[in-house]
C-alpha cells in the first residue's frame, strides 16, 4: 500500500461511513420529472418500459408547464422538459433558482449550438450592403407571426432604429406593424392570417396589399403558397420576385442541395448572406445570423445541480430516460415529452442561467418584442387564487407572443374598478351581468362549451302532459347550470317548485346531453312541450345559464375593444381545450385540485366574440326565479 493510499485509508477510517454517504446517496436519489397532467400517463408509460432499469426517476404531475416551473422553484420537482419560451418564464420568475442543464438537439444538427439561425439572404449582384439599404427592397418572408420571417426582422430592424412603427392610437398593434412593413418594403410575400376575424383579415390584406404582391396567390395571401415557409421564402428570392429573403440556415443548405438529401433548386454561387455589419458571406462558408433560436432542453433548480457531481448525476439519469423514450414503442407518449426519433440528448458542460442561455442566442429580445402595443391591459380580479391564475396566464401569454401585455390587479369591486378606469377588463359570471350592464360595461368575449355539453330533460316514456307540467324534476342544485335549466323548465311550464326530487325518483331529470348514453330507455322532453327521441338533443336544450364573459368599459375606443378581443381569442387559440399549447398553460379546467372554475369555467373550451344562439340570453336569464 502506497503512502498516499495509506493516509486516505486512515482518514476514511477516522471519519467513518458518513464520509462516503453523500456520493452513495446521490447515486440513489430518485429524481422527480414534472410533466403537465395531461401527459402524466405518457410519462408513466415510458417509465414502465422494461429497459428503464436504473433510471431512478419518477413522474410528478403539474397542472401545466407554468405550474411545473413553480414546482421546480419550490423544490417540489427537479426537472422539466422545456422550450426557450418556458426558460424565459423561468428567467423572469427568479433566475438564480433555475438552471438549463441539457439540450434536445436533432440528428442532422447535433453539433450546432442553436436549433436554427435566422439569416438574411440576398443575390450576389444585389446593391444591398447594409440593413439601412433594405428599405424599399422587395422582401420574402416565411409567414406572418413566424420567428425568422416576421418576429426577428421586426425586432432587429426596430432595435436598429431602421424600421419606424407608428404610435397611432387609432390603429391596432397588429396593424401598426403591418403598416410599418408596408411602408418599409416596396413589395413582399407575407402570407398568413393577419386577424382571427375573417372580415378584418381581408380588410388588412386589401389595405396593405403590397405585402402580398410577391406571393403565388396575392389575392389569397395565405397558406399554402409556394413562396411561403422556410424554403418558399428562398424560392421567392430565387425565382426573380424578391430582393431579400428572411429564412434559416438549414433550409438554405437543403434548397441549394448543399447537404445529403437536399434537392438543388438553385445555384448557391449566385447568393450570399447579408450580415448585420453590412458585410457578405458565401453560402459554402459559415453563416452570419442575426438571431438564433435556442434548443429545447431540460431545466432544473440550483439545489438539484449544486456541484459538478450532482449535475452529472441528474444529466446521466435524464440521458437514460431520454434514450428509453427514443426506443419506446409508444412514440406519441415520447413526443409529448419532447422526445422524437430524430432527437439527440446533449449534456451541457455546465449548468447555465436561463437569462444567459437566451441572451447568447439573441432570443430574449425576440420574445420581448412588444408587438407595438401602446400600453399594458389591466385585468381585475377579486380573490388571491384569481390573482394567482391571472399572473400565471400573464406569464405564459407574454412568453408566447400574445399581446398586448397583461397586468393583474386585485380590487374589492372589479365592476367599479373597470367602470372608473382603474382596470380594463374582468371576467363576469352570469349573476353579475346585470350590475355590469348597469355600470356601463359590455362583454367582448364569451366562453363556449362542447356542442354536446348542454343540459336537456329526460323523462320516462308514457307520462301524460299533466305529468310533464306537475311532476317534480331531479337535478343537482349545486351545479349552477343544472339549477338554471330546472328553473327554465319551470318557467316554461309555469311551475313554482324549485326543489329537486330525491335521487332515487328520476321520472324526470335534468342531465347533460353528453351523458345520454346512460338513459337509453328514456325520451327527451323539449322546451316546446313535445317528447322526442334522445337523438334530437340539439333541438331540446334547456341550457339557460349565461356563460362567463369578459367585460370592458363601453367607453373604450374601437381600437382598444378590438385589441382586447384579439388578446382573449389568442389566449383561447393557444391555451384553450384544443389549443396546441394547452400543456404550457391550462386556460380552462381545475386550477388546483381544490380550486375549480377560477376566473373561467372548468368545462369551457374556447372564447368566442358572439354567442351562436340567442338562448341562453340575458333577458331570459333575468326571468328565472329559482
Amino acid at each position: 500500500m502506497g503512502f498516499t493510499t495509506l493516509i486516505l485509508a486512515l482518514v476514511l477510517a477516522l471519519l467513518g461511513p458518513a464520509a462516503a454517504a453523500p456520493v452513495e446517496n446521490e447515486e440513489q436519489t430518485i429524481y422527480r420529472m414534472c410533466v403537465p397532467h395531461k401527459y402524466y400517463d405518457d410519462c408513466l408509460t415510458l417509465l414502465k418500459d422494461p429497459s428503464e432499469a436504473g433510471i431512478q426517476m419518477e413522474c410528478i404531475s403539474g397542472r401545466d408547464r407554468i405550474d411545473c416551473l413553480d414546482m421546480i422553484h419550490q423544490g417540489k420537482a427537479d426537472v422539466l422538459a422545456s422550450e426557450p419560451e418556458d426558460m424565459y418564464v423561468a428567467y423572469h420568475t427568479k433566475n438564480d433558482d433555475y438552471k438549463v442543464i441539457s439540450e434536445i438537439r436533432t440528428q442532422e444538427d447535433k453539433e450546432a449550438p442553436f436549433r436554427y439561425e435566422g439569416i438574411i439572404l440576398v443575390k450576389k449582384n444585389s446593391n444591398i450592403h447594409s440593413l439601412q439599404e433594405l428599405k424599399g427592397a422587395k422582401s420574402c418572408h416565411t409567414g406572418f407571426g413566424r420567428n425568422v420571417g416576421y418576429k426577428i426582422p421586426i425586432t432587429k430592424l426596430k432595435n436598429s432604429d431602421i424600421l419606424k412603427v407608428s404610435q397611432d392610437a387609432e390603429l391596432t398593434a397588429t396593424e401598426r406593424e403591418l403598416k410599418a412593413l408596408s411602408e418599409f418594403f416596396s413589395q413582399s410575400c407575407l402570407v398568413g392570417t393577419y386577424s382571427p376575424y375573417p372580415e378584418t383579415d381581408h380588410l388588412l390584406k386589401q389595405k396593405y396589399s403590397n405585402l402580398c404582391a410577391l406571393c403565388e396567390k396575392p389575392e389569397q395571401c395565405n397558406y399554402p403558397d409556394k413562396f411561403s415557409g422556410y424554403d418558399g421564402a428562398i424560392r421567392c428570392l430565387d425565382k426573380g420576385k424578391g430582393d431579400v429573403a428572411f429564412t434559416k440556415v438549414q433550409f438554405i443548405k437543403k434548397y441549394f442541395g448543399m447537404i445529403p438529401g437536399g434537392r438543388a433548386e438553385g445555384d448557391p454561387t449566385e447568393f450570399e448572406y447579408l450580415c448585420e455589419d453590412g458585410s457578405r458571406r458565401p453560402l459554402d462558408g459559415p453563416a452570419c445570423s442575426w438571431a438564433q433560436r435556442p434548443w429545447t432542453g431540460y431545466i432544473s433548480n440550483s439545489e438539484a445541480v449544486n456541484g459538478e457531481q450532482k449535475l452529472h448525476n441528474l444529466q446521466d439519469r435524464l440521458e437514460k430516460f431520454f434514450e428509453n423514450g427514443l426506443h419506446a414503442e409508444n412514440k406519441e407518449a415520447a413526443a409529448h415529452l419532447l422526445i422524437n426519433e430524430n432527437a439527440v440528448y446533449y449534456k451541457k458542460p455546465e449548468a447555465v442561467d436561463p437569462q444567459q442561455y437566451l441572451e447568447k442566442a439573441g432570443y430574449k429580445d425576440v420574445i420581448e418584442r412588444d408587438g407595438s402595443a401602446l400600453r399594458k391591459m389591466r385585468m381585475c380580479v377579486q380573490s388571491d387564487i384569481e390573482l394567482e391564475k391571472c399572473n400565471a396566464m400573464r406569464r405564459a401569454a407574454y412568453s408566447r407572443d400574445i399581446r398586448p401585455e397583461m397586468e393583474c390587479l386585485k380590487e374589492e369591486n372589479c365592476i367599479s374598478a373597470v367602470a372608473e378606469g382603474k382596470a380594463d377588463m374582468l371576467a363576469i359570471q352570469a349573476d353579475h351581468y346585470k350590475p355590469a350592464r348597469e355600470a356601463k360595461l359590455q362583454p367582448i368575449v364569451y366562453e363556449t362549451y362542447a356542442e354536446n355539453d348542454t343540459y336537456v330533460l329526460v323523462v320516462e316514456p308514457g307520462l301524460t302532459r299533466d305529468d310533464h307540467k306537475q311532476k317534480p324534476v331531479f337535478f343537482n342544485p349545486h351545479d349552477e347550470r343544472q339549477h338554471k335549466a330546472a328553473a327554465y323548465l319551470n318557467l316554461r311550464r309555469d311551475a313554482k317548485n324549485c326543489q329537486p326530487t330525491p335521487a332515487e325518483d328520476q321520472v324526470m331529470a335534468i342531465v347533460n346531453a353528453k351523458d345520454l348514453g346512460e338513459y337509453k330507455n328514456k325520451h327527451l322532453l323539449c322546451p316546446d312541450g313535445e317528447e322526442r327521441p334522445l337523438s334530437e338533443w340539439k333541438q331540446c336544450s334547456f341550457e339557460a345559464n349565461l356563460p362567463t364573459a369578459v367585460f370592458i368599459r363601453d367607453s373604450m375606443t374601437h381600437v382598444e375593444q378590438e385589441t382586447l378581443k384579439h388578446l382573449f381569442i389568442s389566449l383561447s387559440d393557444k391555451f384553450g381545450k384544443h389549443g396546441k399549447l394547452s400543456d404550457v398553460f391550462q386556460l380552462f379546467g381545475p386550477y388546483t385540485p381544490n380550486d375549480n372554475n377560477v376566473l373561467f369555467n372548468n368545462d369551457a373550451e374556447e372564447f368566442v366574440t358572439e354567442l351562436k344562439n340567442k338562448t341562453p340570453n340575458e333577458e331570459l336569464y333575468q326571468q328565472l326565479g329559482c
Side-chain angles (χ1 to χ4, degrees):
M1 182 181 291
F3 179 73
T4 303
T5 308
L6 177 61
I7 294 297
L8 179 60
L10 287 171
V11 170
L12 288 174
L14 288 170
L15 292 175
V23 174
E24 184 173 327
N25 288 343
E26 197 61 51
E27 289 175 351
Q28 295 179 7
T29 298
I30 305 296
Y31 288 102
R32 301 159 298 176
M33 174 174 282
C34 192
V35 294
H37 77 94
K38 68 183 292 185
Y39 298 143
Y40 178 66
D41 289 342
D42 293 325
C43 188
L44 295 179
T45 296
L46 296 189
L47 284 180
K48 283 177 185 174
D49 193 300
S51 65
E52 68 87 24
I55 293 181
Q56 291 181 289
M57 293 191 72
E58 66 174 319
C59 304
I60 301 291
S61 175
R63 181 191 62 250
D64 45 39
R65 284 194 223 166
I66 296 292
D67 190 33
C68 280
L69 284 170
D70 290 340
M71 291 173 72
I72 288 174
H73 182 221
Q74 296 157 7
K76 297 176 182 177
D78 300 306
V79 69
L80 167 71
S82 56
E83 294 175 316
E85 290 77 9
D86 305 315
M87 297 171 191
Y88 181 85
V89 174
Y91 152 48
H92 278 281
T93 303
K94 190 175 181 184
N95 191 39
D96 290 343
D97 278 349
Y98 292 99
K99 299 292 178 185
V100 181
I101 61 170
S102 305
E103 294 172 343
I104 300 175
R105 297 185 174 185
T106 56
Q107 291 281 357
E108 59 266 29
D109 295 306
K110 59 186 177 184
E111 303 302 325
F114 305 108
R115 179 176 170 186
Y116 58 71
E117 300 177 81
I119 56 87
I120 308 173
L121 187 68
V122 295
K123 293 177 180 176
K124 194 171 185 177
N125 61 4
S126 167
N127 291 324
I128 299 172
H129 291 278
S130 68
L131 297 186
Q132 286 81 356
E133 289 174 347
L134 290 174
K135 183 172 176 60
K138 297 178 180 179
S139 60
C140 303
H141 305 260
T142 55
F144 173 77
R146 294 175 66 168
N147 272 323
V148 298
Y150 185 81
K151 295 179 190 175
I152 290 175
I154 286 179
T155 301
K156 295 295 182 177
L157 291 173
K158 278 178 63 179
N159 289 351
S160 301
D161 205 30
I162 296 170
L163 182 70
K164 307 293 184 183
V165 178
S166 167
Q167 294 297 297
D168 186 351
E170 295 301 311
L171 302 178
T172 64
T174 296
E175 184 170 356
R176 284 197 291 274
E177 287 189 342
L178 293 173
K179 182 174 186 288
L181 290 174
S182 175
E183 292 172 350
F184 187 80
F185 295 113
S186 59
Q187 290 183 316
S188 304
C189 179
L190 180 67
V191 306
T193 303
Y194 293 180
S195 169
Y197 314 115
E199 185 178 330
T200 303
D201 180 64
H202 179 69
L203 289 173
L204 288 172
K205 286 173 181 173
Q206 280 191 323
K207 189 172 182 180
Y208 304 107
S209 59
N210 66 319
L211 295 179
C212 302
L214 300 184
C215 298
E216 177 191 11
K217 302 171 186 173
E219 69 288 348
Q220 174 182 296
C221 199
N222 215 328
Y223 305 102
D225 192 291
K226 70 180 182 181
F227 296 129
S228 69
Y230 297 119
D231 56 346
I234 306 168
R235 191 174 297 115
C236 167
L237 173 64
D238 181 30
K239 303 307 178 186
K241 286 191 165 246
D243 302 315
V244 58
F246 301 98
T247 185
K248 62 184 185 180
V249 173
Q250 291 93 325
F251 280 82
I252 297 285
K253 305 291 185 186
K254 289 180 182 178
Y255 184 89
F256 292 107
M258 301 168 71
I259 56 173
R263 184 171 60 87
E265 285 196 46
D267 183 354
T269 63
E270 295 180 1
F271 297 86
E272 290 180 324
Y273 296 117
L274 174 66
C275 307
E276 281 192 79
D277 62 5
S279 62
R280 301 268 199 94
R281 291 186 185 179
L283 302 192
D284 59 0
C288 52
S289 60
W290 59 341
Q292 301 82 27
R293 179 173 173 82
W295 290 106
T296 292
Y298 291 101
I299 195 166
S300 184
N301 56 38
S302 300
E303 178 59 30
V305 296
N306 184 18
E308 190 173 328
Q309 189 61 52
K310 275 189 170 184
L311 172 63
H312 292 164
N313 283 338
L314 178 51
Q315 287 177 329
D316 290 344
R317 302 286 175 75
L318 280 173
E319 186 169 25
K320 287 181 181 178
F321 177 83
F322 186 88
E323 289 298 323
N324 191 59
L326 282 178
H327 300 100
E329 287 186 15
N330 192 328
K331 303 300 182 188
E332 186 177 2
H336 288 159
L337 301 185
L338 307 183
I339 303 172
N340 60 64
E341 291 177 305
N342 190 39
V344 175
Y345 180 83
Y346 175 81
K347 298 178 186 177
K348 294 197 73 62
E350 58 184 25
V352 180
D353 291 335
Q355 179 181 3
Q356 180 185 346
Y357 189 71
L358 296 170
E359 287 181 344
K360 184 178 179 182
Y363 201 66
K364 177 174 162 288
D365 288 347
V366 175
I367 292 178
E368 290 178 348
R369 170 183 149 267
D370 64 9
S372 300
L374 294 178
R375 66 178 178 87
K376 295 179 182 179
M377 289 298 191
R378 302 156 296 176
M379 183 160 192
C380 188
V381 299
Q382 293 186 196
S383 69
D384 289 340
I385 196 68
E386 287 181 344
L387 182 63
E388 187 180 317
K389 180 172 180 178
C390 182
N391 276 315
M393 177 168 67
R394 172 188 60 78
R395 293 155 67 200
Y398 190 79
S399 72
R400 299 287 172 166
D401 196 39
I402 295 175
R403 301 292 188 271
E405 185 177 359
M406 296 172 62
E407 190 175 346
C408 305
L409 28 125
K410 182 182 166 187
E411 296 282 344
E412 283 188 21
N413 187 328
C414 278
I415 290 177
S416 296
V418 172
E420 295 166 9
K422 295 178 184 176
D424 298 302
M425 66 271 194
L426 77 158
I428 289 278
Q429 295 181 329
D431 56 348
H432 284 87
Y433 270 49
K434 187 176 181 180
R437 291 285 196 185
E438 290 170 350
K440 297 186 177 179
L441 307 189
Q442 66 180 34
I444 52 165
V445 294
Y446 305 86
E447 291 177 343
T448 58
Y449 306 96
E451 185 180 33
N452 66 342
D453 184 0
T454 188
Y455 282 96
V456 294
L457 177 66
V458 294
V459 298
E460 293 283 0
L463 294 181
T464 66
R465 284 190 175 271
D466 284 343
D467 289 333
H468 292 164
K469 290 182 178 181
Q470 298 172 9
K471 285 280 185 183
V473 65
F474 171 78
F475 64 94
N476 178 1
H478 303 295
D479 183 314
E480 189 64 14
R481 290 174 65 197
Q482 286 192 49
H483 197 179
K484 292 303 178 186
Y488 181 34
L489 166 66
N490 283 341
L491 180 69
R492 298 290 300 183
R493 64 183 186 170
D494 196 26
K496 303 298 182 185
N497 184 5
C498 293
Q499 296 302 312
T501 188
E504 61 271 12
D505 181 18
Q506 295 193 32
V507 175
M508 298 174 65
I510 298 289
V511 303
N512 199 300
K514 62 187 178 184
D515 300 323
L516 284 176
E518 302 172 18
Y519 300 89
K520 292 181 180 177
N521 298 322
K522 298 203 175 188
H523 291 170
L524 292 177
L525 181 63
C526 302
D528 61 6
E530 297 297 322
E531 276 194 36
R532 289 191 175 86
L534 299 182
S535 59
E536 295 189 26
W537 57 266
K538 288 184 182 179
Q539 288 76 44
C540 293
S541 174
F542 274 92
E543 186 76 55
N545 196 49
L546 296 170
T548 296
V550 175
F551 276 69
I552 64 171
R553 287 183 303 286
D554 64 8
S555 60
M556 278 187 150
T557 67
H558 173 72
V559 169
E560 288 174 321
Q561 292 181 33
E562 291 303 306
T563 296
L564 287 173
K565 283 182 186 178
H566 187 271
L567 168 64
F568 282 94
I569 294 298
S570 298
L571 286 168
S572 175
D573 285 347
K574 290 190 177 179
F575 304 136
K577 285 281 174 69
H578 305 294
K580 61 181 179 180
L581 297 177
S582 59
D583 61 321
V584 172
F585 174 71
Q586 181 178 274
L587 186 62
F588 306 113
Y591 184 67
T592 76
N594 300 316
D595 294 295
N596 294 297
N597 306 318
V598 178
L599 291 180
F600 313 116
N601 195 290
N602 282 9
D603 297 324
E605 297 212 330
E606 64 178 348
F607 288 128
V608 295
T609 54
E610 292 182 8
L611 293 174
K612 293 179 181 176
N613 52 53
K614 298 302 179 183
T615 303
N617 62 55
E618 295 178 53
E619 183 180 349
L620 170 65
Y621 182 85
Q622 300 304 330
Q623 298 176 42
L624 303 179
C626 290

